[in-house]
Amino acid sequence: MTATLCTGAPEPATDRTVIGEYLSLPLFRTLSGVLAGHPYLKVVVDRAENTWHLLDTQAHPFHVNYIATRVLGMELAELDAELDAFNASVYMDPERRFLLGVLSLHTDEDAEGRERTFLVLETTEADTMNGELLEYFYEFVRVRVDGRLPVLLKPANHGQEEELAAISELRVPRILSHELFGSRVRTALNVGEATGRLRYFRTSEEYTAAAAQLGWADIVAMPCLPDDVPRAAGFVNTAPITPLSHTNVLASGWGIPNAIVRDLDQLVEKDDLNGAWVRYRVSEEEITLDRLEQEPELRAPAWHQQRIRLEPPKVEDAPVLSLHRLRAADRDRYGTKAANLGELHHVLDSRTADLTAFYGRPRPPREDLYGHLATRLGLTGPSAAELRSRAADFVAATVGAPEGVALPFVLQQHFLASSPAIQQGIGKLKMALELDAVDVLDSLCLQLQQLIRQTPVPEAIVRQIGQAFPTAPTPDRRLVVRSSSNAEDLPGFSAAGVYDSVTTVHGTDQLLDAVRQVWASLVSPRSVRLRHQVGISLDDTYMGVIIQEYVPASFGGVLVTCNPTRRGDFRNVYLNCTPGSPEQVVDGSVLPQQYLYNVVEGGGRTVALGSWGKGLPAATRARLADLSLTGRLLQSHFSEPDVDVPLDIEWLMTEQGDFRLVQIRPYAL
């Protein structure tokens, strides 16, 4: 829970705000609101008057409105006109008069298993309080709160954590964000509402046995959903996962609710929910599963009528090209992934793209955020041209694009046409799709995949692939082979995790095997079913291939240029990482570290430590802040014409400490 850096609607007439009173638990409950399941109360400390204001949450949703209008006598229009300067005076000025924070109420168990109630004091993530101010703020609040209630200070960002490191915990007891929320029972991943039948699987074996019977009206619950989970009404995870796992990217793209519900066992037992019809609601504030007394009359979901339109692919002869020679417009010949990586090369090399457009959007009452961007880039009062130039230089200095080659669609077409057996298999599959013969669909897909993997690659295609490399692939040279289809990263159809990539390839034979495996993934049972559900014809679907040199990574991960669990948050970029390859993050095999970075006012905070159990050094976190800002700047170019559409970026840090972006695509909202 953090204070909000914006203005809001005029306050209601009823106002129970108190000034200068000691805070008891009954008074707290009288004034508090509820956010993410926890009661909370806004606090303003006035250092000049040596008093504090306990705000009625219903009457005063924003600290700055209250201070400006009720304490300083300003009009809201006057505040709006100088909002950024006013925010700086209360959140960043080391000599500030007002200290703003939130008190939230929490419960846990003590060593003897008894319930313990305690308060947590924190500021907004953009607040730059130094150690002296943090200690003053804590002590001021502590002596005015009922002594029977423990009060802990939660640093709101990495800067505050570092400031507090020099202060004894005996003087300022504290709790870190990941400690407070790491054991949270329920966590929203993708907001939404669904009515369906709850299918709860406690093990992967239980799921596998029933997977073929799952349908669009089911809400699938299990500790960790597999990447090949079918399209359903909703997902429930009973163990922690990252918001950027493949299954949550799918949930976001499909517009279905998804959450972590660690107490599902108790809910199922209490209300006999397994197999029952339920109404499942996921919001930022609350997650509920309510049993319905009778089976509802369900309409087929909107996606049953949804039809995804593909741009006509171009399959005339096209050469194998280095990635740096591609541009975004080449997606209809080489696929979306390859084209986006080519466009990234162009952006970094030419430095001519406008990477500031996101900051130029009005964020009422602000006309734009250019001033904030200038501060992030170390500029004072730059012209528009200077700001664009600095942004381009910053991005080029922060990240690099991968080297590699792209195989066009036409190579796949020539390969498929070279085998009468493959053509016959494709014909059978098309007929089954036309007749909606779902009972034979999977077996036809598997037979066709096997044919594709076993059919020799024509010598002409082998030569084209080989000529793209200065030297032939050798057993001691590791390559990575990735899919690049025209049927992915589309509005309403992300296909995250649907097509294959092969990350360990040595020598020519393994390279050809990997290329055929990627081609074959276009006709996997799951990919065919998902495309068929949204009206994407097999005739219109093609697969390009990216071949890259393997780059050893010290760690890597995924970032999205938004806050996945708070869609209205335009400030923060979400980033996760783990040692080694980003694939470990997206496939859910490890729990990554998770961070939020504010790319408007600055600052970052740790959300979870994941499987590591140990935080990153301050210098590394600062590098991740630069990476997060880079992601936001790239959004201005890659999301045109709507620069508010966030990006999903896979990245790695090389053993030399350089950032490399290995994939850029729209993040499904």
Side-chain angles (χ1 to χ4, degrees):
M1 265 160 281
T2 55
T4 304
L5 293 175
C6 62
T7 61
E11 298 85 0
T14 303
D15 186 354
R16 294 167 293 183
T17 293
V18 297
I19 302 173
E21 292 192 20
Y22 283 87
L23 181 62
S24 63
L25 191 53
L27 178 58
F28 177 94
R29 294 191 184 280
T30 298
L31 299 173
S32 66
V34 177
L35 184 63
H38 297 283
Y40 76 103
L41 173 65
K42 290 184 172 66
V43 173
V44 174
V45 170
D46 187 340
R47 299 171 72 197
E49 299 293 334
N50 194 36
T51 191
W52 69 338
H53 302 242
L54 306 176
L55 308 191
D56 179 349
T57 303
Q58 296 301 315
H60 301 292
F62 303 110
H63 288 85
V64 292
N65 282 22
Y66 176 82
I67 296 170
T69 60
R70 299 301 179 90
V71 181
L72 301 179
M74 297 171 61
E75 296 292 333
L76 275 178
E78 183 183 358
L79 173 63
D80 288 350
E82 52 183 88
L83 181 59
D84 288 331
F86 191 91
N87 279 336
S89 74
V90 295
Y91 291 114
M92 300 167 191
D93 186 348
E95 304 299 325
R96 69 191 77 171
R97 171 181 170 181
F98 300 104
L99 305 179
L100 283 57
V102 171
L103 276 168
S104 54
L105 186 66
H106 301 261
T107 58
D108 65 4
E109 292 184 351
D110 62 20
E112 284 74 37
R114 294 170 300 193
E115 185 174 272
R116 177 183 73 137
T117 301
F118 61 99
L119 290 171
V120 172
L121 175 67
E122 63 180 300
T123 70
T124 182
E125 72 271 9
D127 198 301
T128 61
M129 279 193 201
N130 57 27
E132 182 180 352
L133 275 181
L134 287 166
E135 185 173 3
Y136 175 92
F137 190 31
Y138 174 80
E139 291 177 346
F140 192 101
V141 171
R142 170 67 276 183
V143 299
R144 289 164 176 79
V145 171
D146 187 332
R148 293 170 294 184
L149 279 173
V151 179
L152 304 177
L153 180 66
K154 181 167 81 68
N157 51 51
H158 294 143
Q160 290 187 4
E161 287 182 28
E162 292 162 16
E163 290 287 332
L164 284 171
I167 300 173
S168 168
E169 291 198 40
L170 295 176
R171 284 162 43 202
V172 182
R174 70 206 65 165
I175 188 168
L176 300 180
S177 180
H178 65 268
E179 296 170 334
L180 183 63
F181 297 121
S183 58
R184 179 185 285 171
V185 175
R186 301 179 191 178
T187 303
L189 295 173
N190 195 61
V191 298
E193 180 176 331
T195 297
R197 182 177 51 186
L198 184 67
R199 303 293 301 276
Y200 181 25
F201 307 105
R202 290 173 174 80
T203 66
S204 57
E205 290 77 16
E206 288 182 11
Y207 168 83
T208 301
Q213 286 75 48
L214 293 175
W216 61 264
D218 289 324
I219 295 169
V220 185
M222 61 187 299
C224 182
L225 285 91
D227 282 354
D228 62 356
V229 63
R231 195 159 187 169
F235 295 156
V236 184
N237 302 268
T238 61
I241 66 166
T242 168
L244 300 189
S245 66
H246 272 149
T247 52
N248 195 50
V249 172
L250 289 174
S252 179
W254 293 341
I256 62 175
N258 188 20
I260 300 170
V261 182
R262 299 172 75 171
D263 61 343
L264 187 64
D265 262 329
Q266 297 95 299
L267 296 178
V268 166
E269 183 176 349
K270 173 177 174 288
D271 296 324
D272 192 23
L273 294 181
N274 194 17
W277 291 93
V278 299
R279 182 166 289 109
Y280 177 34
R281 295 186 179 96
V282 177
S283 70
E284 294 174 7
E285 292 76 29
E286 190 176 25
I287 298 161
T288 58
L289 279 161
D290 298 318
R291 183 186 175 103
L292 303 177
E293 294 305 317
Q294 58 186 13
E295 181 176 337
E297 292 184 11
L298 295 178
R299 296 180 179 178
W303 56 265
H304 261 235
Q305 289 77 44
Q306 180 186 24
R307 289 296 177 264
I308 302 297
R309 180 178 176 271
L310 293 183
E311 293 295 325
K314 297 179 180 178
V315 290
E316 67 270 15
D317 282 341
V320 177
L321 287 180
S322 296
L323 289 175
H324 72 267
R325 295 181 61 187
L326 299 182
R327 294 293 302 274
D330 291 314
R331 61 173 54 92
D332 54 7
R333 291 184 177 87
Y334 296 86
T336 306
K337 287 181 188 175
N340 282 349
L341 289 177
E343 187 70 16
L344 176 63
H345 274 281
H346 170 74
V347 168
L348 299 180
D349 293 342
S350 71
R351 305 192 189 186
T352 57
D354 179 11
L355 304 182
T356 69
F358 175 88
Y359 290 85
R361 282 284 176 93
R363 312 289 171 184
R366 305 166 182 83
E367 292 184 3
D368 57 61
L369 299 175
Y370 284 139
H372 289 286
L373 177 58
T375 301
R376 301 277 70 76
L377 296 175
L379 298 175
T380 302
S383 66
E386 290 170 335
L387 189 62
R388 289 183 181 185
S389 177
R390 178 63 68 88
D393 289 344
F394 177 86
V395 168
T398 304
V399 300
E403 298 297 331
V405 300
L407 311 187
F409 295 157
V410 68
L411 285 194
Q412 180 213 19
Q413 185 190 48
H414 288 337
F415 168 76
L416 298 178
S418 71
S419 167
I422 290 177
Q423 289 300 303
Q424 185 179 29
I426 292 173
K428 290 180 179 179
L429 180 57
K430 288 180 182 178
M431 182 65 70
L433 290 170
E434 289 175 8
L435 298 176
D436 205 21
V438 294
D439 54 333
V440 299
L441 199 61
D442 286 9
S443 62
L444 289 175
C445 287
L446 292 173
Q447 291 169 17
L448 183 53
Q449 282 192 286
Q450 186 176 16
L451 271 174
I452 292 172
R453 292 192 186 106
Q454 294 178 348
T455 298
V457 180
E459 187 58 37
I461 296 177
V462 175
R463 283 198 304 272
Q464 288 186 66
I465 296 174
Q467 289 169 359
F469 294 92
T471 58
T474 57
D476 60 346
R477 180 184 177 194
R478 181 173 171 181
L479 301 174
V480 176
V481 179
R482 300 180 184 275
S483 61
S484 183
S485 172
N486 66 328
E488 61 184 328
D489 303 335
L490 304 170
F493 191 79
S494 72
V498 171
Y499 305 120
D500 285 356
S501 292
V502 186
T503 58
T504 305
V505 177
H506 298 276
T508 301
D509 290 343
Q510 286 189 16
L511 174 59
L512 296 177
D513 288 344
V515 170
R516 283 179 294 198
Q517 180 175 334
V518 171
W519 282 339
S521 69
L522 196 66
V523 291
S524 70
R526 184 174 183 235
S527 69
V528 169
R529 285 179 180 275
L530 289 174
R531 292 195 305 269
H532 184 59
Q533 287 171 350
V534 296
I536 298 177
S537 168
L538 190 61
D539 284 332
D540 295 333
T541 309
Y542 288 85
M543 179 65 75
V545 179
I546 302 168
I547 304 171
Q548 299 168 266
E549 293 278 357
Y550 171 74
V551 178
S554 56
F555 66 104
V558 183
L559 72 85
V560 293
T561 57
C562 67
N563 182 345
T565 61
R566 292 185 60 194
R567 299 303 170 83
D569 178 2
F570 63 84
R571 291 179 163 81
N572 284 291
V573 164
Y574 178 95
L575 178 148
N576 62 22
C577 61
T578 196
S581 167
E583 278 79 7
Q584 293 178 295
V585 172
V586 296
D587 68 15
S589 60
V590 299
L591 287 176
Q593 291 202 5
Q594 303 175 42
Y595 298 92
L596 278 171
Y597 285 97
N598 184 326
V599 293
V600 177
E601 290 89 5
R605 63 187 188 274
T606 303
V607 177
L609 293 181
S611 300
W612 287 5
K614 181 181 179 182
L616 293 170
T620 304
R621 294 199 307 254
R623 296 285 312 283
L624 295 181
D626 288 346
L627 178 63
S628 299
L629 178 56
T630 293
R632 173 70 86 210
L633 292 170
L634 289 172
Q635 179 180 331
S636 293
H637 180 72
F638 282 89
S639 295
E640 288 182 326
D642 184 0
V643 296
D644 277 341
V645 174
L647 298 179
D648 175 339
I649 299 174
E650 287 187 24
W651 60 274
L652 56 83
M653 178 182 276
T654 69
E655 293 177 341
Q656 291 72 41
D658 301 321
F659 286 123
R660 201 75 58 88
L661 305 188
V662 296
Q663 181 172 296
I664 297 180
R665 61 185 175 191
Y667 179 66
L669 285 175

